[in-house]
Amino acid sequence: MRAALLSLLVAVQPLPPLFRDITAGAGITWRHWNGLSPDRFLVESTAGGVAFLDFDNDGLQDLFLVNGGETPRGRSRLPVRHALYRNLGSRRFTDVAARAGVAKTAFYGMGAAAADFDNDGDTDLYISGFPSGALYRNNGDGTFSDITAAAGVANAGEWGSSAAWFDYDNDGRLDLFIANYAEFSFERKMTCEFDGKPAYCAQTAYPGRPARLYRNEGGGRFADVSGPSGIALSPGRALGVVAVDYDDDGRQDLFVARDASPNLLLHNRGDGTFEDRGLEAEVAYNADGVARAGMGVDAGDVDGDGRPDFAVSNFDTEYHALYLNPGRLPFREATVESRLAEHSRQYVGWGLRLFDYDNDGDIDLLVVNGHLHEAIAMSNRSVSYREPPLLLANDGKARFTRIDGGPVFRGAYLGRGMATGDIDNDGAVDAAFVSLNEAPVLLRNEAAAGRRWVGVKLKGATSNRDGIGARMRMTVGVRTLTRWVTGGGSFLASNDRRVVFGLGGEGTPAALEIRWPSGRVQRVEGLVPGRYHEVAEPGE
């Protein structure tokens, strides 16, 4: 009898979460503020950026959180500040933003893009926003300097959303792409209602704007090449961007997710110009010829064929989309057959990441969601204002199953920016996301415990120091795993640049092949599982 009772108690014991919310225990007390006001300025609904970066080069991923700002009638009781949480180890953080010089900006904050743009070994930081952005150079002593004016990257007069560092001309210096959203002004008020209450007006009431591309000239100076590069030829409401070489020609391309504007697939011609192939690739519109409300975008090899596929988060009833890359255009939309449509129908998606959360070798999907209208459930009972994140496990054949990752995945949030990074160097990639006007959420990954892995951090020489644009292939048993160091990805976010190869239950990796942005191909043998390896590009 006693044995039976013990068995019953064991049977009903809840399973430990796959992702554990450690926000409070980590010492993170910052809260987001979007300037919520009765005017319902659309900018209020889209803010909240996040970045993982090792700003002090101690081998631990730190966390930067971007605040929004005040609006004319949306004032904060407390000063509106960004946060830079230094990782102290043992999953504890302390806010050093004020001392580092990045706590306050003179504009409404949106997103963050972190990378070593000057190849000096220290990670720098770009903050996007309205009506400008800012570039902070890392001084290497725990502080940053605002060099926006001297660098020429203010993006003046624009509502900048996501940004991406990438080397489009393969000269070894990182260039900067900024996804601009729409024409906007706090002086121009629009009055809209939802169920008789003030509401955000439809995005189509705001004309879209061209994106901007800044070429890194060296010496801390950039040139605006948006016009001559062709980037400015396709205005629209851009929100998300990821840089990756989708056609394997050695040049980084851009996928830009846009809101009720056709998505862009900007093909890098290799002569300093880009051509939009979104229509040819069949990613610009849905099957009915309608532009979806695209927010976030990421790239990864979902079906294991060695080519980068794309996932895009969209509005409810539009489904989050999956585009499989067959090695030629058009792409094949697999939103329905992958079950992504089934899992995402009632959600408004923002940040999303394609990564191997359980280190089984297959690329999975994490999406944070949250609606715009407080009263949405009164008119549509299948949709909620606050929404749970989605953790979707890939079976290796681009078919997703929804997984209960723990209490957070049964909770309700107004998720916006989301990034991934390994905060404790255990090979299990963690995540953080911002929720409007609330505390952020830091999720420790406990799903990959016991799974074998190999981590790689690249150090470029001829290529940019971060190795952004590199393609890596690792042979593991009978499988070849392909990963890229991408620029941008997700929404308003910047991710840990290190790449983790999940080995699952298979043996020791046979070899790693790296194709650097310079075109050099390097083969690395003898990588030991269970640790990160820094791999330097061979010199000339």
Side-chain angles (χ1 to χ4, degrees):
M1 180 69 176
R2 184 178 179 182
L5 180 59
L6 286 174
S7 297
L8 180 60
L9 289 173
V10 170
V12 298
Q13 187 75 18
L15 295 174
L18 301 180
F19 283 84
R20 188 180 300 277
D21 182 353
I22 64 168
T23 312
I28 295 174
T29 58
W30 176 91
R31 293 181 68 89
H32 183 258
W33 175 252
N34 73 340
L36 181 66
S37 73
D39 299 308
R40 290 299 193 271
F41 291 110
L42 190 59
V43 71
E44 301 167 7
S45 69
T46 59
V50 56
F52 280 108
L53 71 161
D54 181 7
F55 83 95
D56 54 0
N57 281 332
D58 65 353
L60 298 172
Q61 290 291 304
D62 310 300
L63 183 63
F64 184 72
L65 298 160
V66 183
N67 225 325
E70 295 183 319
T71 60
R73 292 200 290 168
R75 300 298 178 179
S76 174
R77 293 185 299 103
L78 300 173
V80 179
R81 297 285 189 267
H82 310 307
L84 176 60
Y85 278 100
R86 181 171 180 264
N87 190 336
L88 302 176
S90 301
R91 297 180 287 281
R92 293 286 299 173
F93 293 76
T94 186
D95 188 2
V96 298
R99 185 164 70 248
V102 293
K104 183 71 175 175
T105 49
F107 52 86
Y108 189 102
M110 291 292 295
D116 182 4
F117 81 85
D118 52 4
N119 292 327
D120 66 353
D122 300 310
T123 300
D124 311 294
L125 184 65
Y126 188 85
I127 305 174
S128 62
F130 169 80
S132 63
L135 176 59
Y136 289 89
R137 170 182 278 156
N138 190 330
N139 298 319
D141 60 0
T143 68
F144 292 80
S145 295
D146 184 346
I147 64 165
T148 312
V153 291
N155 196 34
E158 300 289 355
W159 174 356
S161 54
S162 298
W165 292 102
F166 76 127
D167 184 5
Y168 80 95
D169 50 3
N170 285 344
D171 65 354
R173 296 188 293 262
L174 289 175
D175 312 298
L176 179 63
F177 177 92
I178 304 173
N180 287 323
Y181 187 65
E183 294 180 12
F184 178 77
S185 169
F186 286 128
E187 284 70 48
R188 183 190 176 200
K189 296 182 181 179
M190 296 185 184
T191 303
C192 295
E193 293 185 346
F194 186 89
D195 198 38
K197 298 179 180 179
Y200 298 111
C201 293
Q203 71 278 66
T204 51
Y206 298 82
R209 292 289 300 159
R212 274 202 172 134
L213 177 62
Y214 292 102
R215 182 177 185 271
N216 189 340
E217 303 279 278
R221 292 288 302 172
F222 291 75
D224 186 345
V225 295
S226 310
S229 68
I231 291 294
L233 295 177
S234 303
R237 291 169 290 270
L239 286 175
V241 59
V242 66
V244 70
D245 179 8
Y246 80 85
D247 56 354
D248 206 35
D249 65 357
R251 299 185 292 266
Q252 291 183 76
D253 313 294
L254 295 163
F255 192 117
V256 184
R258 306 204 298 180
D259 186 9
S261 300
N263 294 330
L264 303 177
L265 181 65
L266 296 172
H267 176 253
N268 188 338
R269 289 183 170 127
D271 60 359
T273 67
F274 291 81
E275 174 191 11
D276 178 26
R277 293 186 175 175
L279 278 173
E280 185 182 355
E282 297 184 3
V283 300
Y285 302 94
N286 68 9
D288 297 320
V290 177
R292 295 175 167 120
M295 269 72 99
V297 60
D298 202 18
D301 184 8
V302 177
D303 54 2
D305 64 358
R307 294 183 287 265
D309 310 301
F310 295 94
V312 180
S313 57
N314 295 304
F315 214 77
D316 67 89
T317 73
E318 293 183 341
Y319 319 125
H320 304 342
L322 177 64
Y323 301 102
L324 297 179
N325 181 352
R328 62 188 181 281
L329 300 183
F331 289 166
R332 181 168 68 87
E333 181 167 351
T335 302
V336 174
E337 65 193 74
S338 68
R339 299 182 65 194
L340 191 51
E342 171 189 337
H343 298 312
S344 65
R345 177 182 176 84
Q346 70 266 44
Y347 299 123
V348 177
W350 300 87
L352 85 168
R353 285 287 284 159
L354 288 166
F355 74 112
D356 183 3
Y357 83 90
D358 54 358
N359 283 344
D360 66 352
D362 300 319
I363 295 296
D364 311 298
L365 182 61
L366 174 63
V367 192
V368 296
N369 307 290
H371 216 282
L372 275 70
H373 304 299
E374 297 97 323
I376 185 65
M378 297 178 66
S379 61
N380 185 347
R381 293 184 178 181
S382 67
V383 178
S384 300
Y385 177 48
R386 298 175 183 275
E387 299 175 335
L390 286 172
L391 179 61
L392 303 176
N394 182 6
D395 67 356
K397 300 177 181 178
R399 186 174 173 86
F400 294 109
T401 299
R402 185 172 181 175
I403 301 297
D404 180 2
V408 167
F409 295 85
R410 300 189 293 272
Y413 303 88
L414 298 174
R416 292 302 186 262
M418 185 265 286
T420 56
D422 185 359
I423 63 170
D424 46 10
N425 292 334
D426 64 353
V429 179
D430 312 297
F433 67 90
V434 173
S435 187
L436 285 182
N437 291 339
E438 297 174 339
V441 178
L442 177 60
L443 292 169
R444 180 175 186 257
N445 183 344
E446 300 182 2
R451 291 280 175 86
R452 291 161 62 82
W453 60 279
V454 169
V456 179
K457 177 185 178 182
L458 298 183
K459 181 180 178 181
T462 305
S463 304
N464 68 85
R465 190 177 178 100
D466 286 339
I468 295 173
R471 185 199 68 198
M472 289 184 274
R473 287 179 173 159
M474 179 174 286
T475 303
V476 183
V478 298
R479 303 176 67 184
T480 298
L481 307 179
T482 307
R483 305 289 185 261
W484 296 262
V485 183
T486 59
S490 191
F491 171 70
L492 304 182
S494 194
N495 306 286
D496 190 344
R497 297 286 180 213
R498 300 173 300 176
V499 172
V500 174
F501 289 87
L503 308 180
E506 301 189 52
T508 301
L512 172 67
E513 179 194 272
I514 305 168
R515 188 181 70 187
W516 293 87
S518 64
R520 182 186 296 272
V521 177
Q522 180 180 5
R523 186 177 175 87
V524 181
E525 306 273 0
L527 295 179
V528 178
R531 54 167 290 196
Y532 284 96
H533 301 261
E534 182 173 279
V535 179
E537 181 181 18
E540 294 295 340

